[in-house]
Amino acid sequence: MSMKIKKRTTLQRYWTKRYVLTLISGLILLSVFSLWWMEKTALEYRLSLLKYLADETSDRAIKENGQIVVGPILSEIVEEREKILHLNQQPIIYIVDPDGSIIYTMPQLYIDPDENKLPDVIMKNTELIQKVKISDNKVYVVKSPITFNDETRGWVVIAQEEGALKEINQDHGLLAIMIGGLLILGTGVIYFLSRQISRPIQDVANAAVQVREGNYDIHFKEEEEIKEEEIYELIKSFKEMTNRLKVMEKLRAELLAGVTHDLKTPVTSISGLIQAVKDDVVTGEQSKEFLDISLKETQRLQGMIEDLLNYNAISAGAFKIRVQKENINTFVQEIAYRWQVTQEDGQTFALDIKVPDEPLFGLIDSLRMQQIVINLLNNARHALDGNGKITIDLYEKDEGRICIDVQDSGRGIPEHEQQYVFEPFYRGENKKLKVRGLGLGLPFSKMLAKAQKGDLILKDSNQQGTTFTIILEKSDQG
């Protein structure tokens, strides 16, 4: 059954497309709102001008004797004021008597004598600006009274369709130019910013492909030139990871050669010793001594193989851990004593054990925890040059955690090697020359500690000594 391959696109194209679509949607909403606002503003502005025109017309439409007259001067004034409105459709101006009978219209309209009167809906409404519906048309009506000696002698009524008052033809072009300009500018800015963001990510992606193919020689833009914190951290972390992989790749080859050598050496030694006994090169007591040496080498080889098997077993999750409550004070003292008495005669180091007055109880697998402590003590012993001191310090770190510090006064671990001490098969330069082994002690101990819901960390290491800390899960005394 064939699987459909999803088509992918570049980060820059993906986000540019979405940002532009978002921009277009926003501009459409902005355009709709702008058109609504412009129509609303134009309507209010033109209604106020119509009211002003009605007021001015009413003032000029009556003589001193109180008679309503419409002369040429009034017509000129009305025409001049109408130009200010910028309307495609001229409004209709009615001059009517108090009852609403039409006296005069501008422009001149034919009016049926039977219908020579404005509707009551207009005349009886007390509002001077009103919106009415006439013959399915929405019309705005503006009124202004013609008064003489505080007596209403008539009305000036200006009527205009709503659509004509909301027309903004002259502003449509300006709005289109503005929206188009924002779209072009916004698209350019979005493309530029997307490119700025996607370029370093694309560089990291390309570098990841090279790393996948085994090429660790990666070059990025100088970190000082990167302004974005997240991009800076991404590139910095990737460079550190690449450098670490590069070092680990080099170490892998060296460690494979070292492990092969450490396994091959006892086999070669055993083979040579047994061959010497078989060929009667040595006889008597010397042949017995050769066999004893062969047995010791066999035991050492067996120990290495067991280390490999144990490490593989716990890595695969096939290692059983039996955790139970133990008195850690007693546990530490007993392990330290047993280890000390097994050391060679003439030892020149001091062992100091510090435990709190109150007993601390922890959840551990005593057998596996013993392996961890003894491995740390052996490493501490190897780190001592001549006279020295090893200290075991038991204390409660915080609620729910117990710590065991194993500290030596040895030469310390070089700073550049400290990050690799828990890597499988890694052995520092000094230890590689003096102590034979596979380099699985610390990695195996850390995995055992984690399997017991604890941890093993390198707390500190300098020229005055090294401290490893075992972290345990605390148990209640009850």
Side-chain angles (χ1 to χ4, degrees):
M1 182 178 177
S2 61
M3 294 181 63
K4 186 177 179 181
I5 300 175
K6 188 175 181 179
K7 188 177 180 181
R8 304 187 187 279
T9 184
T10 63
L11 182 68
Q12 180 181 351
R13 184 179 301 171
Y14 180 86
W15 285 111
T16 298
K17 181 179 178 181
R18 276 152 183 76
Y19 288 151
V20 170
L21 289 175
T22 303
L23 175 64
I24 292 174
S25 302
L27 289 177
I28 290 174
L29 291 176
L30 179 62
S31 301
V32 172
F33 176 78
S34 299
L35 286 172
W36 172 82
W37 180 258
M38 290 167 66
E39 287 180 354
K40 180 176 180 295
T41 305
L43 177 62
E44 293 175 353
Y45 171 72
R46 285 167 175 165
L47 284 175
S48 64
L49 286 180
L50 288 178
K51 182 64 174 63
Y52 172 75
L53 176 60
D55 291 341
E56 187 177 20
T57 304
S58 66
D59 289 339
R60 295 176 179 270
I62 191 167
K63 284 189 175 184
E64 294 180 358
N65 57 7
Q67 292 181 345
I68 297 175
V69 294
V70 180
I73 296 177
L74 181 59
S75 299
E76 291 176 4
I77 292 173
V78 172
E79 290 176 359
E80 183 179 345
R81 298 295 184 267
E82 286 178 348
K83 293 178 181 178
I84 302 175
L85 295 172
H86 299 294
L87 294 175
N88 293 330
Q89 183 180 345
Q90 187 178 6
I92 301 175
I93 302 175
Y94 297 92
I95 297 179
V96 300
D97 62 18
D99 295 330
S101 298
I102 299 173
I103 300 172
Y104 175 81
T105 64
M106 181 182 295
Q108 294 291 335
L109 299 174
Y110 170 76
I111 300 175
D112 191 334
D114 295 333
E115 298 179 359
N116 189 27
K117 191 175 182 179
L118 293 181
D120 290 341
V121 69
I122 296 176
M123 298 308 302
K124 291 184 178 182
N125 196 314
T126 58
E127 294 183 3
L128 298 180
I129 300 177
Q130 56 185 296
K131 183 180 178 181
V132 297
K133 190 173 183 181
I134 301 175
S135 301
D136 295 331
N137 291 328
K138 293 179 181 179
V139 178
Y140 275 92
V141 176
V142 178
K143 298 188 302 182
S144 179
I146 302 174
T147 59
F148 183 78
N149 293 335
D150 297 329
E151 180 185 355
T152 300
R153 299 293 182 92
W155 292 86
V156 174
V157 180
I158 303 178
Q160 180 63 286
E161 291 184 1
E162 181 183 23
L165 291 173
K166 290 183 176 180
E167 284 182 352
I168 49 174
N169 295 334
Q170 294 178 349
D171 297 328
H172 282 165
L174 181 61
L175 179 62
I177 293 173
M178 182 183 70
I179 296 298
L182 287 175
L183 179 60
I184 295 172
L185 178 62
T187 302
V189 170
I190 288 171
Y191 178 82
F192 175 76
L193 293 179
S194 299
R195 182 177 176 82
Q196 289 295 105
I197 294 173
S198 64
R199 181 180 293 176
I201 298 177
Q202 183 63 47
D203 291 342
V204 173
N206 293 335
V209 173
Q210 295 185 48
V211 171
R212 183 181 64 190
E213 294 174 354
N215 178 20
Y216 301 108
D217 249 349
I218 308 299
H219 300 285
F220 287 108
K221 187 178 180 181
E222 290 297 326
E223 295 177 5
E224 292 75 13
E225 300 178 15
I226 301 173
K227 298 180 177 62
E228 301 87 352
E229 180 68 23
E230 293 79 4
I231 300 296
Y232 171 81
E233 289 296 335
L234 174 65
I235 292 179
K236 181 181 176 183
S237 300
F238 190 87
K239 288 174 71 174
E240 290 177 356
M241 180 191 72
T242 304
N243 291 334
R244 184 178 177 85
L245 286 173
K246 190 175 182 179
V247 172
M248 293 306 298
E249 186 70 21
K250 180 181 177 183
L251 288 174
R252 185 181 69 171
E254 294 178 357
L255 295 176
L256 181 61
V259 170
T260 305
H261 178 267
D262 285 336
L263 290 174
K264 181 180 178 181
T265 299
V267 173
T268 304
S269 177
I270 293 169
S271 176
L273 292 170
I274 294 177
Q275 189 68 39
V277 174
K278 179 183 177 183
D279 296 341
D280 295 328
V281 176
V282 292
T283 57
E285 289 297 325
Q286 193 175 13
S287 65
K288 186 177 180 181
E289 181 182 353
F290 272 36
L291 291 175
D292 287 340
I293 295 173
S294 298
L295 181 61
K296 288 181 181 180
E297 289 294 312
T298 302
Q299 291 172 346
R300 190 164 70 84
L301 180 61
Q302 184 178 2
M304 291 183 183
I305 294 173
E306 285 179 356
D307 285 345
L308 284 171
L309 293 176
N310 288 335
Y311 181 80
N312 288 335
I314 196 169
S315 297
F319 209 87
K320 291 185 179 180
I321 297 292
R322 297 177 178 85
V323 175
Q324 59 185 8
K325 185 173 70 173
E326 294 282 350
N327 185 328
I328 307 302
N329 298 46
T330 304
F331 172 80
V332 168
Q333 290 171 327
E334 289 180 355
I335 294 300
Y337 174 76
R338 274 186 277 171
W339 176 80
Q340 189 174 20
V341 298
T342 60
Q343 300 305 298
E344 298 177 358
D345 295 336
Q347 56 185 348
T348 57
F349 68 91
L351 179 62
D352 186 16
I353 304 171
K354 299 178 182 178
V355 296
D357 296 332
E358 294 293 329
L360 295 175
F361 290 85
L363 296 174
I364 61 172
D365 182 325
S366 57
L367 178 61
R368 302 307 175 190
M369 188 56 63
Q370 176 181 328
Q371 287 180 268
I372 299 173
V373 175
I374 290 178
N375 180 58
L376 293 178
L377 289 172
N378 288 334
N379 287 348
R381 178 72 177 90
H382 294 146
L384 297 178
D385 290 328
N387 295 328
K389 182 180 180 181
I390 298 175
T391 303
I392 302 177
D393 188 8
L394 173 65
Y395 59 93
E396 185 176 359
K397 183 179 181 182
D398 50 34
E399 180 135 6
R401 290 293 178 180
I402 298 173
C403 292
I404 304 174
D405 284 355
V406 179
Q407 181 180 11
D408 65 68
S409 60
R411 54 190 173 273
I413 303 172
E415 186 175 353
H416 66 277
E417 294 181 359
Q418 292 179 16
Q419 58 181 322
Y420 304 114
V421 294
F422 293 110
E423 294 292 340
F425 304 110
Y426 179 79
R427 302 173 67 208
E429 292 297 326
N430 293 328
K431 192 172 182 179
K432 188 188 301 182
L433 298 174
K434 295 186 177 182
V435 183
R436 298 175 66 183
L438 297 178
L440 288 175
L442 286 175
F444 185 61
S445 296
K446 187 176 182 72
M447 293 175 71
L448 286 176
K450 284 185 173 292
Q452 299 173 67
K453 297 183 179 179
D455 201 359
L456 173 62
I457 61 173
L458 174 60
K459 184 177 182 180
D460 184 42
S461 185
N462 50 51
Q463 294 180 350
Q464 283 72 46
T466 299
T467 303
F468 283 92
T469 300
I470 307 170
I471 303 174
L472 310 176
E473 187 176 11
K474 185 181 176 183
S475 173
D476 296 331
Q477 296 185 21

